[in-house]
Amino acid sequence: MQTTFKIWETNRKLHLAFLEKYTLEQLNKIPEGFKNNLIWNIGHIITTQQGLIYRLSGLPVMISKEFHNKYKYGSVQHKPQHKKKLTK
């Protein structure tokens, strides 16, 4: 079980480091031919992880319903995110 938590922690640190490498403008840009930006992709990773680890284990998830709906499979990024929202 310790290994699972270490993998989870390492992944979160890698995602944070990834986000810190880009400007807010770069993170918000939706590349041609794609439906979502980098921010959406990280949010989707977090939403998926919460579902796989917590929900499927019968435990309450640690994200809001709003966050889940915003980044769940099939959702689309409609408006740019602001720095204030990213740091919450």
Side-chain angles (χ1 to χ4, degrees):
M1 191 66 145
Q2 211 47 22
T3 302
T4 302
F5 289 121
K6 188 65 179 167
I7 291 169
W8 176 80
E9 179 184 31
T10 301
N11 280 332
R12 293 296 283 258
K13 286 179 182 177
L14 288 170
H15 295 141
L16 180 60
F18 177 82
L19 286 171
E20 290 174 338
K21 284 199 288 189
Y22 297 95
T23 67
L24 187 57
E25 183 179 334
Q26 290 172 312
L27 293 170
N28 274 310
K29 181 175 173 49
I30 299 175
E32 191 174 321
F34 290 86
K35 293 189 282 184
N36 293 305
N37 58 27
L38 292 172
I39 293 170
W40 183 90
N41 280 284
I42 296 295
H44 180 67
I45 289 168
I46 293 167
T47 297
T48 302
Q49 178 266 338
Q50 290 285 306
L52 292 173
I53 302 297
Y54 292 97
R55 192 173 291 118
L56 292 179
S57 298
L59 299 169
V61 295
M62 303 292 161
I63 59 173
S64 68
K65 191 73 157 165
E66 176 189 9
F67 188 94
H68 175 265
N69 289 336
K70 191 173 188 177
Y71 298 108
K72 68 182 179 182
Y73 177 79
S75 65
V76 178
Q77 188 73 43
H78 292 288
K79 48 187 176 174
Q81 295 298 305
H82 302 283
K83 187 172 182 144
K84 186 177 176 184
K85 281 201 167 222
L86 290 178
T87 55
K88 279 187 173 184

